[in-house]
Amino acid sequence: MTAPLALLYDLHGNLPALEAVLADASAQGAGSYLLGGDYAAFGAWPVETVARLDALPADATTWIRGNWDRWLADELAGTPSRDRPDNELVGGAAAHALAALPAEVVQRLGALDAQVALPDPPDGMATRAVHGSAGSDMTSFLPTHTDHDAQNAAGVQEPRLVFGHTHLQFERPGPGGLVLLNPGSVGMPLDGDVRAAYALVHTDGVELRRVPYDHEASAQALDAVGSPWAREIADRLRKGHA
């Protein structure tokens, strides 16, 4: 039997959440990983989180780029992204991550592919993986149908689209019979549930999973950073929403 594929999105520098998810995935027999972007910024452990992901088996791990990975690489290159919000929350988190991460790591994450095709996942359903949507890492799908669904799925030929960005875990039908799958956020869930979220693709289908971890300790680590942006993210971790 083919081992499950673990789908990990929106980790945001939350090492304890990542460790809990990886332990759960290992206990479920996961044999491969899809990493969906937004790896370092917004958390207290940007360097350690990327290092833990780098320790996964390279031949069984697929990475794609998130909007934060693109923003940090652009900032490092001196060409700030035009779509990056100009506010204290984003600016402070970006400065913190850039001060911590080696330049080569920022550049590597920023150079990742924006999307990949997974032709043969464990359940046999060909899948395209993006960060937000087929055309952008800044727009995405919601748990219920919207008028933007068709535009966000434009050009996808595979029967399933995996994405993140909104930090909302769900699976639902999309335009033209497309299966839309958001594994949720490992590092900063925003659906009212403070547990870390991810998904497993088994031979018989997809399983959405939630994993408890010491989210209060992660929030306290952000409090200790001593910046307004970090306190705001700590509040999100405690509440499970913005």
Side-chain angles (χ1 to χ4, degrees):
M1 180 179 291
T2 304
L5 164 66
L7 311 176
L8 278 58
Y9 271 70
D10 297 297
L11 300 103
H12 288 291
N14 189 341
L15 183 65
L18 172 60
E19 292 284 14
V21 163
L22 290 176
D24 186 77
S26 177
Q28 299 302 313
S32 57
Y33 303 85
L34 170 68
L35 308 180
D38 283 10
Y39 300 108
F42 272 155
W45 298 275
V47 174
E48 295 87 347
T49 298
V50 176
R52 183 64 184 90
L53 296 172
D54 281 337
L56 294 172
D59 60 349
T61 305
T62 300
W63 301 61
I64 62 173
R65 187 188 68 212
N67 58 288
W68 264 104
D69 312 309
R70 175 172 58 84
W71 288 349
L72 293 179
D74 287 349
E75 182 76 14
L76 182 66
T79 55
S81 307
R82 293 182 179 180
D83 61 357
R84 200 192 88 177
D86 184 17
N87 57 44
E88 186 175 14
L89 175 67
V90 172
H96 180 263
L98 286 170
L101 291 164
E104 59 269 23
V105 171
V106 175
Q107 293 164 346
R108 171 166 61 90
L109 297 178
L112 293 169
D113 291 335
Q115 55 183 278
V116 296
L118 304 175
D120 190 26
D123 63 354
M125 181 180 287
T127 299
R128 182 156 296 271
V130 300
H131 180 71
S133 65
S136 171
D137 58 18
M138 288 293 289
T139 61
S140 194
F141 303 87
L142 294 176
T144 57
H145 169 80
T146 74
D147 292 339
H148 301 291
D149 281 0
Q151 178 181 345
N152 287 338
V156 176
Q157 301 299 313
E158 295 82 2
R160 180 168 58 205
L161 182 64
V162 176
F163 55 91
H165 188 61
T166 62
H167 301 209
L168 304 173
Q169 186 185 63
F170 64 91
E171 183 180 20
R172 70 169 174 87
L178 180 68
V179 175
L180 299 176
L181 173 59
N182 188 329
S185 172
V186 171
M188 190 170 58
L190 295 178
D191 56 4
D193 186 336
V194 298
R195 295 175 299 170
Y198 82 110
L200 286 171
V201 182
H202 299 274
T203 55
D204 58 354
V206 173
E207 178 186 10
L208 301 177
R209 294 186 64 82
R210 302 304 288 246
V211 183
Y213 75 101
D214 191 349
H215 67 282
E216 177 59 29
S218 289
Q220 289 179 11
L222 283 167
D223 288 337
V225 173
S227 298
W229 73 266
R231 288 191 291 271
E232 182 170 340
I233 300 304
D235 187 56
R236 293 185 184 184
L237 294 185
R238 290 185 170 105
K239 298 187 300 185
H241 61 81

